[in-house]
Amino acid sequence: MSGRLSAEQSQTLEQILDLLIPGNPAKGIPSGNAPGVMNFLQQRLQEEGQLHAQVAELLASASPMVVTADTLRQLQSDKPQAFASLQRLVYMAYYSRADVRQQLGLAPWPVHPQGYQVASETPEQLDALTAAVKARGRLYRPC
Amino acid sequence: MSAEPVDVLIIGAGASGAAIAWSLLETRMQIVCLEQGGHVHDKDFPSRREDYELARYAEFSCDPNVRGLPEDYPINVDDSCIAPVNFNGVGGSTINFLGHWPRMKPSDFRAHTLDGVASDWPIDYATLEPFYAMNDRNTGVSGLAGNPAYPPYEPPHPPIPIGKLGQRLAQGFNALGWHWWPSDVAILSEDVEGRQKCVNAGTCDLGCAAGAKGGTNFTYWPMLEQAGVELRTHSRVREILVDEHSGLATGVLYHDASGQVQRQDAELVIVACNGIGTPRLLLNSASRLFPDGLANRSGMVGKNLMFHPLKGVSGVFNEPMDGHKGPMACSILSQEFYETDPERDFVRGYGLHSGRSTTPMTFALGGYGIDQPIPWGQEHRHVMDDIYPFLASLTIVAEDLPEEHNCVTLDPELTDSDGIPAPRVHYRLGDNTRRMLAHGEARATELLQAAGAREVLSKSGDELWWRAGWHQMGTCRMGDNPETSVVNGWGRCHDVKNLFIVDGSIFVTAGAVNPTSTIQALALYIGDSIKNNIGNLFD
Ligand SMILES: Cc1cc2nc3c(=O)[nH]c(=O)nc-3n(C[C@H](O)[C@H](O)[C@H](O)COP(=O)(O)OP(=O)(O)OC[C@H]3O[C@@H](n4cnc5c(N)ncnc54)[C@H](O)[C@@H]3O)c2cc1C
Ligand code: SF4
């Protein structure tokens, strides 16, 4: 079975996303329910029938209650495999977002071609750092 | 269908296949290379995409069982605690390798004489030294001369930055009086002829779109194709053929891109399919003359599989370590515990490698090579905000010893997309290696504390990196004795005089360093030996 999640399932999942990855408002880091995450999940669930079935089963056990951390812990212990699949998928969805990466101190852009600036150590710096190693002398067995 | 015979047929366009093709270029022999994968163009590397990390769990996974592309072959790993990883295409596993480039050390070639374990190699460090240097120039290696852990040599390019993380760890090593040195890397620290210097993107396993990393897709292959070596891609060899009377290899049967079986005859056949692919091919080439697999009268084809089992230990520091900036694997390397010390409860030794920390998705999913997600909920927030940015890690890279029960066989059911039997890996961790890893974990903890870590994190008990079978060695080992080895001291099969093996499968021991600089130096040495013996090659 595959397909889009119903409105009720989506609502439950949104609560789960907030709980799986809480945000950090002080640093402007969004929760797991960040823009784009639901779309990513919907798309993957549409493509992968088995995953859809696992997640639908989890959501059925969770809804229509208000989902709390305790509910999630219970789900994790009752349906460890389905829970693990969802957790993995959510981490992939959330951390593939450029804005989230940026909040964590990484560049939002694709890492190539721009990359990052890292200063090279000067020869003098390296000399100073390695002086003690050189002073201890040879460290291989000649043979 | 059968093509005109050629002089030299190389199977596999990875690290070793490229190096030997380059060595044989000057002979003006006609060289054809058959490679099961295709060209992977740098514009298609995932690191150019915004969601680049997702590729690690799909088409650019290092695990062929996850990628599952038509050019991959599956590997049955049910009986192994480490999964072999690779890449199949022009460049082989140097497409996604990390470019850490230490050489083996003189004592690595003499483990039996010095330490009473394994066997000595039929060649030594001094013999390989000029080929290491030649290959370093061709590849574009960066590093700092003067490392007291080696006989003197000079890397062709200055070192890449060791960065904040490397500097901090170096101070810890200095405080304890232990060896460390900036890593040699097959990564350019300066622009060179059409290749850009490293831009510190930190995603070397996703292909290096800068061309800074010395994969043979950037180094040897462009040069070789221009010089007239014919590289036939999407050509998967299913069997090497032998003449029943002469006992010589005559050529191969291979599947072309459409799956059709073709025949290519050759005077000289060179196998470069890596430590898993090569024994697989030889075992799949059984015949009346060689009922147990081609060139396997010793029974050693597929035996003595060695990896470098790994464990990681991480320190949490008080300031951000910028671990995502810079090449993934290599900042500094300590060989303080590399050589045998009779005071320890194991022989041989290990290296302490400072890997950088990875990107957030990979970290959240459990780290490179591990795959166990970090917790969810408030603990997740704590780990991502208060630990991840502050990490500096050490990887203990242990020398594995050759043990016959660690081996590659053919799976009775599993096949690749052309119906060729797939390899099955049987591997368990030896007691010596286990003790070595425990020692390494304790030393790494000590070091991280000396470097100022406020907390040290390591995995529990016996937990190893699962997808850590990056280095596959020993499965067609070299030796002077045809009863205990597959190839002689210059890569020629004892049993088939025009069949050569040049990849990591011919290693006698594993050392405790990444193997590719040695694999390619060996391939160049074998190429040189072929040239020197050309008059009586098949005697
Ligand atoms: C993720 C990762 C990180 C790594 N990091 C490092 C590192 O930092 N430093 C280091 O030294 N090493 C590293 N390695 C290991 C390194 O890539 C290998 O040691 C090296 O590439 C092995 O060279 P090879 O020639 O033996 O095989 P490969 O480079 O694997 O090439 C073998 C080629 O043979 C082809 N082939 C196999 N069977 C057939 C067949 N039947 N017909 C036709 N073609 C065939 C394959 O498609 C492949 O292209 C890493 C590897 C991986 C996967
Ligand atoms: S970090 Fe450097 S070597 Fe690695 S992929 Fe980026 S540019 Fe290439």
Side-chain angles (χ1 to χ4, degrees):
Chain A
M1 190 179 82
S2 63
R4 286 190 74 78
L5 297 174
S6 68
E8 192 186 327
Q9 284 174 318
S10 300
Q11 244 175 11
T12 310
L13 185 52
E14 281 178 13
Q15 294 184 62
I16 293 179
L17 294 179
D18 277 333
L19 289 165
L20 283 177
I21 307 180
N24 181 343
K27 289 189 173 169
I29 300 177
S31 77
N33 192 17
V37 172
M38 267 306 261
N39 272 350
F40 179 103
L41 298 178
Q42 288 276 20
Q43 198 178 333
R44 278 292 171 97
L45 295 177
Q46 268 184 316
E47 287 161 7
E48 296 179 40
Q50 203 189 347
L51 198 61
H52 184 275
Q54 279 185 325
V55 171
E57 200 190 330
L58 263 189
L59 297 177
S61 311
S63 61
M65 296 177 279
V66 173
V67 184
T68 64
D70 282 341
T71 331
L72 270 197
R73 268 187 286 277
Q74 192 62 48
L75 280 182
Q76 186 170 24
S77 100
D78 291 348
K79 300 186 188 320
Q81 262 194 328
F83 188 90
S85 302
L86 178 65
Q87 183 184 10
R88 185 179 157 83
L89 194 64
V90 170
Y91 288 7
M92 289 170 100
Y94 178 78
Y95 289 108
S96 60
R97 297 202 49 79
D99 52 341
V100 169
R101 220 167 36 228
Q102 187 171 25
Q103 296 303 336
L104 291 168
L106 281 82
W109 55 78
V111 279
H112 279 130
Q114 200 164 332
Y116 298 101
Q117 289 290 339
V118 179
S120 286
E121 291 78 22
T122 61
E124 295 71 32
Q125 258 177 316
L126 283 177
D127 258 355
L129 265 177
T130 55
V133 185
K134 285 186 278 198
R136 282 193 298 279
R138 195 185 70 199
L139 189 69
Y140 62 92
R141 286 187 283 177
C143 40
Chain B
M1 215 170 78
S2 176
E4 285 295 300
V6 295
D7 300 320
V8 181
L9 179 68
I10 299 172
I11 310 168
S16 57
I20 192 149
W22 183 81
S23 173
L24 295 179
L25 256 189
E26 64 175 300
T27 63
R28 299 183 175 275
M29 293 192 284
Q30 188 189 358
I31 304 172
V32 166
C33 177
L34 298 180
E35 165 55 50
Q36 66 187 343
H39 282 281
V40 191
H41 299 287
D42 57 305
K43 66 175 176 25
D44 298 329
F45 287 147
S47 56
R48 291 192 186 276
R49 297 198 322 240
E50 198 162 86
D51 60 358
Y52 56 89
E53 281 192 88
L54 286 172
R56 265 192 200 122
Y57 305 92
E59 81 281 9
F60 243 87
S61 168
C62 59
D63 185 338
N65 292 343
V66 173
R67 287 194 309 268
L69 301 171
E71 59 266 36
D72 291 317
Y73 53 88
I75 304 178
N76 184 332
V77 289
D78 292 349
D79 190 25
S80 178
C81 60
I82 294 178
V85 293
N86 65 19
F87 204 88
N88 298 310
V90 176
S93 309
T94 66
I95 297 260
N96 59 346
F97 89 146
L98 304 184
H100 197 195
W101 206 248
R103 298 177 176 195
M104 284 176 89
K105 292 156 75 91
S107 64
D108 286 324
F109 298 86
R110 293 282 170 273
H112 187 73
T113 302
L114 293 174
D115 301 321
V117 289
S119 307
D120 289 347
W121 290 52
I123 54 170
D124 57 13
Y125 179 87
T127 309
L128 275 191
E129 208 287 330
F131 300 97
Y132 274 123
M134 190 185 292
N135 190 51
D136 284 0
R137 283 192 300 276
N138 290 346
T139 300
V141 170
S142 303
L144 183 68
N147 185 352
Y150 285 90
Y153 70 92
E154 184 144 4
H157 301 284
I160 59 167
I162 65 173
K164 198 173 187 177
L165 171 152
Q167 291 174 25
R168 174 53 74 97
L169 295 179
Q171 283 158 7
F173 281 109
N174 284 346
L176 293 174
W178 292 353
H179 170 267
W180 69 276
W181 204 255
S183 294
D184 278 4
V185 293
I187 294 175
L188 291 173
S189 55
E190 49 197 0
D191 293 348
V192 173
E193 289 167 27
R195 290 173 59 201
Q196 196 189 342
K197 71 174 186 179
C198 174
V199 296
N200 303 299
T203 50
C204 314
D205 61 322
L206 299 178
C208 175
K213 195 181 68 171
T216 60
N217 52 319
F218 285 119
T219 57
Y220 286 105
W221 279 115
M223 189 175 10
L224 290 168
E225 289 203 275
Q226 206 170 19
V229 172
E230 186 192 343
L231 177 53
R232 245 176 256 167
T233 56
H234 300 291
S235 300
R236 176 185 270 145
V237 176
R238 69 169 302 131
E239 185 182 346
I240 300 171
L241 305 167
V242 276
D243 179 84
E244 289 235 340
H245 303 292
S246 64
L248 293 175
T250 54
V252 301
L253 294 180
Y254 71 97
H255 293 267
D256 65 16
S258 65
Q260 296 296 310
V261 176
Q262 308 284 353
R263 181 181 170 129
Q264 177 63 60
D265 287 340
E267 293 291 320
L268 195 70
V269 177
I270 299 176
V271 190
C273 297
N274 85 27
I276 305 289
T278 289
R280 173 199 184 209
L281 178 56
L282 296 184
L283 294 173
N284 271 323
S285 303
S287 62
R288 202 188 58 78
L289 263 190
F290 294 100
D292 299 323
L294 184 57
N296 193 21
R297 294 203 174 115
S298 64
M300 287 297 131
V301 170
K303 301 276 171 64
N304 301 303
L305 171 66
M306 295 172 282
F307 294 123
H308 286 127
L310 308 178
K311 278 205 147 194
V313 183
S314 299
V316 188
F317 288 80
N318 285 326
E319 53 176 337
M321 284 287 126
D322 288 345
H324 58 282
K325 296 181 184 171
M328 270 177 97
C330 5
S331 169
I332 67 173
L333 165 63
S334 167
Q335 295 190 324
E336 182 69 24
F337 305 102
Y338 196 98
E339 304 278 6
T340 297
D341 178 345
E343 300 289 304
R344 300 186 198 130
D345 62 354
F346 56 88
V347 277
R348 311 294 301 159
Y350 59 88
L352 292 173
H353 297 218
S354 83
R356 293 178 209 261
S357 48
T358 180
T359 35
M361 182 193 302
T362 306
F363 180 75
L365 289 172
Y368 197 73
I370 298 175
D371 267 10
Q372 268 177 20
I374 62 168
W376 56 271
Q378 286 308 330
E379 184 63 12
H380 189 94
R381 202 55 287 138
H382 163 65
V383 171
M384 290 311 291
D385 291 353
D386 307 328
I387 293 185
Y388 169 66
F390 304 96
L391 284 176
S393 305
L394 285 169
T395 309
I396 301 118
V397 176
E399 172 165 353
D400 219 356
L401 292 175
E403 296 179 283
E404 277 190 28
H405 59 80
N406 289 334
C407 62
V408 178
T409 59
L410 293 179
D411 194 276
E413 284 157 25
L414 196 64
T415 63
D416 63 26
S417 57
D418 288 310
I420 307 173
R424 185 184 174 107
V425 170
H426 310 260
Y427 180 87
R428 60 176 191 264
L429 202 59
D431 290 337
N432 192 65
T433 315
R434 198 184 302 277
R435 289 194 291 271
M436 200 184 283
L437 286 169
H439 188 273
E441 217 171 343
R443 296 293 81 73
T445 304
E446 208 178 319
L447 182 282
L448 290 165
Q449 284 162 345
R454 63 176 143 92
E455 195 182 342
V456 175
L457 313 167
S458 61
K459 292 267 167 188
S460 60
D462 262 1
E463 211 175 335
L464 287 175
W465 281 28
W466 163 236
R467 293 198 173 95
W470 300 320
H471 309 151
Q472 305 142 9
M473 298 155 289
T475 47
C476 293
R477 72 178 173 200
M478 276 186 151
D480 292 326
N481 184 350
E483 285 174 16
T484 56
S485 58
V486 179
V487 299
N488 69 8
W490 46 291
R492 188 173 78 171
C493 289
H494 292 299
D495 299 342
V496 185
K497 299 266 190 275
N498 65 341
L499 181 65
F500 287 77
I501 305 177
V502 292
D503 54 59
S505 61
I506 64 178
F507 277 35
V508 181
T509 55
V513 285
N514 314 54
T516 311
S517 62
T518 305
I519 290 176
Q520 289 191 306
L522 261 177
L524 293 180
Y525 166 70
I526 292 170
D528 213 54
S529 304
I530 290 175
K531 288 181 281 190
N532 291 335
N533 290 288
I534 202 92
N536 53 352
L537 202 53
F538 306 146
D539 294 350

